[in-house]
Amino acid sequence: MRLTPEEQHWLAGEAGPGLRKAIEIVVALGKIYGAEDTVPVGSVQIAGVSYKNLGDAGLAFLHEWAAEGGHIRVPAYLNPAGMDLHDWRKLGIAEDFAHRQLDVIEALSRMGAVPACSCAPYYIGVRPALDEHIAWSESSAVSYANSVLGARTNREGGPSALAAAIIGRTARYGLHLPENRRADTLIEVHCPVESEADFGALGYLIGKQVGNAVPYFRGLGIATFEQHIPASTDTHLRALGAAMAASGAVALYHIEGVTPESRRDNMLREDARTLRIDSLEAGYAALNSTPLAQVDLVSVGCPHASRDELLEIADRLRGKRVTTRLWVTTARATKEAVPHAVEIIEQAGGLVVADTCLVVAPIEALGIRRLATNSAKAAFYAPGHSRVDVRFGTLAQCLETAVTGRWPGGPAEVR
Ligand code: F3S
């Protein structure tokens, strides 16, 4: 791998152990994946922030790196933590967990990371440009950045993202190279795909089948836009990408005439295979892990909710009262941007929870066994990560459940 004189200087340890550790990680990955050199990155998004996943070993690793002089040199934003950093007591988080989680945030902040604690930094002003190289790590954020924004990132691990933030560069391989960004799988959709849950169910089905391929969608019924993607479509694309990254390892997809690279170039390879989708039923069936109608927690906002979603949820809950615990998870900056919507949701008895989500928070310790969500990604991970049963459906079904305490339409009905 070709290194600049500065990188060689770092690798020799002449700039201290913090920089040496960072360049060692980037070079090791580069060698594994055949990178010729490194590329500067415009921003970094760092996953592996929840103490639930990091544990004491991860926390010690961060403190050690910070003490070695690991200092971040490009804008770097943290993924969700294991709790709301301000209102953790309201969620019922244990003191011991909370103090360790705050310690994680302190170590990363000391290194120079921005404690945005969101998997949707693109909703709080971090929107990389088309073709910009970045190093992001949360899988739905990676999918969104690559596909909806047309930026270029591999799916970094927590330590490799931190390493990229410290040296300001990442190894140039995988999705940083234009030749790897063309689609190898054409997806022909022959059934209606309308709600965010439909897009999630579709994403689940595709991710399962294609693994880490680059899918190219045709027939999704999304209008072609000259300049921008409207809010509702944006929500759908986010749900699609998050689900494909969860059930498979899809880090980039294209939608014919909609996503930016497919509007500019022909992104479908001549030798692409074709998959046909005629129904979403199998996706809904797989994501509903329980026939039970009763739930303990309704959670929406995975990936983190946008302002538009908070406004829509407030609209739907205006004048109502929830009878089941309701979490709307979002970035703190998004929450602060729409205080009136937050007030309506909280007057109805819901909680607008910042900095965290139900997958990275220790919800099993909060007595939650049955969950309702409109996120295919959450429905996919929650049974394994948090040992809960799941009802999966639309935002309307989830909010109705929050109000009535029961999944609408009876146990057998999943759509
Ligand atoms: Fe984000 Fe948590 Fe979902 S990190 S994508 S809200 S699982």
Side-chain angles (χ1 to χ4, degrees), residues 1-4 7-8 23 26-31 34-39 170-173:
M1 200 172 158
R2 241 179 9 255
L3 298 183
T4 64
E7 288 168 338
Q8 289 171 13
I23 185 78
V26 171
V27 168
L29 283 170
K31 284 185 176 163
E36 288 185 1
D37 60 359
T38 64
V39 61
T170 191
R172 194 196 305 263
Y173 66 91

Side-chain angles (χ1 to χ4, degrees), residues 226-250:
E226 282 309 314
Q227 291 300 332
H228 73 286
I229 292 175
S232 61
T233 302
D234 185 274
T235 306
H236 293 164
L237 300 189
R238 198 186 46 160
L240 175 70
M244 286 192 291
S247 65
V250 174

